[in-house]
Amino acid sequence: MIRTGGERGFVTVDGRSVLIRRYGRGPAVFVIHGSPQSSRAVEAVCQTLAARGLTAIAPDTPGAGASDPLPLAEPNSADFARALHRLTETLGLSRVGLYGFHTGAATVAAFAALFPQNTAALVCDGLPAWTEAERARFLADYLPPFELRWDGSHMAWLWARMEAQTVFFPWHSTDPAERMSMAVSSPEHIHANAMDLLATGDAYRPVYRAAFTFRAEAVVDRLPSTALVASTASDVLAAHLDRPALAGRGLILPDIASLHDAAADHLAAHPGDPAPDHIGGGFLALGDDRLAVHRLSEGPGRPLVMLHDAGGSVTDLTAPTGRPVIALDLPGHGLSAEGWRGPIDWPETVRAALNALSLSDAEITGVGAGSVLASVLSGAEPLPCRVLGAPEPPPSLSPEWDGAHLIRAFRIASCERLFDPWYGRDPARRIDRPADLHTTHVRAVSLLRAHRRWSDLETWAVQATH
């Protein structure tokens, strides 16, 4: 799986939860990703900015990744710019640098036009300048609904759609004249983009739609002198720099590394306010890795810690009310999926987290493999649970060139509600676990996030009960 770096945290802005990644220390630069992606997609430029002595702050756009959406049916780039401005205010920053890619470029351009006094400098990487014909075509056909199917065929559609985006522009074209001169992206790259869209679901459409309703001609004359509009030679939007709205304003660079270097130099030459020392919460540092910590309920009394099943996440848990309840996304699962490359000592890792959170005396409970882990942490004799382990070798959920791993995850999730273990597939192993299509899909996405840690945790739980 792709490992991403940076410090992560959640910030509450006007009641919305916003996930942020932070890289480096120094003047603040907000880095806004494209669609239908999340902040993990801009790590490379964030690392370059951090190496220049800047703080790259990369939020998940509202409605993308792990950030809550805006309370608007069809937000536009100006709406996203205002939301970004509120984020800068929440963090106590009055003047900032900005970098945006494609959809993000439209957002930062709108920000600079609306809030010039708060803009130290900006870099627009691939700023769109649509013709009316293009805008009408994309709004009509580019953003089809993401509809779940009982047979998992929506997973095949998703893979084909994300792969096609690396071959044609627009992605749904089959016209050789609209084929891009670039290699098909690696399975790992396509998988990362697919996981971003899976995190958002059908809500990807309003976020992406803002890119196509953006009008460069309405903002470019209001950009400050510290604006740099640039593109790589291979970017499909490079041709937009010759269009009337952007003619004479843009710079074409040979490759992405050159563009990132130029962006870092430009933003370092026009620094904004220093970034705060700490941004957001919700994650606990354990060495180089981060564990997601969720406070599900407040109240008096002894805290309750809840642990989810193998292959799941905290979203699977139902917390009691009236007492403090804390849930962890276990290593390699949910929002803790990034990192954790080496072997995991499950009890010791969770014990270290509980000690760091001053929860060593908390009551611990869990579901499935999480219940076995809770018993071991509590010093009780582990009770046999429904976890019976995965077949040997366990099924691979690693990215494959044809996207078969996405369908495999959905089929496993479907079988889990029919058989225990899921691979038993005979009348003796029959169970009747209620699960609608949405629940099955959510479980499949959780399995894809957990990847091999799903079977690792199940195997550990089986060994701990024998």
Side-chain angles (χ1 to χ4, degrees), residues 7-366:
E7 169 191 341
R8 286 181 292 161
F10 283 97
V11 176
T12 300
V13 181
D14 298 331
R16 292 181 293 104
S17 184
V18 179
L19 178 69
I20 287 177
R21 297 175 189 268
R22 171 194 174 126
Y23 304 75
R25 294 292 184 270
V29 176
F30 283 79
V31 181
I32 311 303
H33 61 83
S35 297
Q37 298 174 313
S38 72
S39 57
R40 63 94 207 152
V42 291
E43 181 180 26
V45 68
C46 287
Q47 296 283 19
T48 301
L49 295 172
R52 293 292 200 285
L54 301 165
T55 297
I57 302 172
D60 283 356
T61 297
S67 290
D68 292 338
L70 296 176
L72 301 169
E74 294 184 342
N76 57 33
S77 295
D79 295 317
F80 286 112
R82 294 185 186 97
L84 177 58
H85 184 249
R86 286 292 298 124
L87 174 59
T88 66
E89 290 183 321
T90 300
L91 295 176
L93 297 166
S94 61
R95 192 166 172 81
V96 300
L98 301 165
Y99 174 100
F101 173 75
H102 285 205
T103 306
T107 298
V108 301
F111 181 108
L114 289 168
F115 307 105
Q117 71 280 8
N118 302 120
T119 305
L122 73 152
V123 176
C124 297
D125 177 358
L127 187 66
W130 310 113
T131 66
E132 290 304 318
E134 287 172 335
R135 182 176 290 109
R137 180 186 182 190
F138 294 156
L139 290 175
D141 301 324
Y142 201 92
L143 306 172
F146 180 57
E147 299 176 338
L148 306 186
R149 303 290 184 182
W150 71 270
D151 57 359
S153 56
H154 60 285
M155 291 294 204
W157 176 88
L158 171 62
W159 187 264
R161 183 254 181 273
M162 301 311 296
E163 180 183 72
Q165 188 162 325
T166 73
V167 181
F168 288 94
F169 185 77
W171 67 268
H172 54 278
S173 175
T174 57
D175 185 345
E178 294 181 314
R179 182 167 179 169
M180 295 185 288
S181 57
M182 55 191 295
V184 177
S185 293
S186 69
E188 290 75 18
H189 180 85
I190 298 172
H191 174 82
N193 286 334
M195 292 302 295
D196 279 343
L197 196 146
L198 285 171
T200 307
D202 191 51
Y204 88 96
R205 291 193 293 155
V207 182
Y208 214 159
R209 181 182 182 277
F212 300 125
T213 58
F214 174 74
R215 293 180 178 274
E217 62 274 17
V219 301
V220 291
D221 289 336
R222 296 153 58 196
L223 296 181
S225 61
T226 54
L228 172 62
V229 179
S231 174
T232 61
S234 61
D235 192 329
V236 69
L237 297 184
H240 289 214
L241 295 180
D242 292 328
R243 295 181 176 183
L246 300 178
R249 299 176 182 268
L251 176 67
I252 294 181
L253 293 161
D255 53 43
I256 194 64
S258 300
L259 196 155
H260 288 173
D261 286 340
D265 291 341
H266 180 74
L267 293 163
H270 307 282
D273 293 343
D277 291 336
H278 177 73
I279 294 178
F283 290 87
L284 176 68
L286 295 176
D288 292 333
D289 297 307
R290 300 290 185 272
L291 198 72
V293 180
H294 307 261
R295 299 188 180 275
L296 303 183
S297 180
E298 301 292 343
R302 185 184 180 195
L304 173 66
V305 174
M306 302 183 70
L307 305 176
H308 59 77
D309 199 358
S313 73
V314 67
T315 58
D316 302 334
L317 303 173
T318 302
T321 58
R323 65 181 296 189
V325 179
I326 297 92
L328 306 177
D329 275 337
L330 293 172
H333 291 70
L335 292 178
S336 301
E338 296 178 14
W340 310 98
R341 290 199 166 188
I344 296 173
D345 185 324
W346 299 96
E348 288 306 311
T349 301
V350 176
R351 187 175 288 115
L354 298 181
N355 288 336
L357 295 167
S358 300
L359 293 171
S360 56
D361 294 328
E363 178 186 355
I364 307 175
T365 187

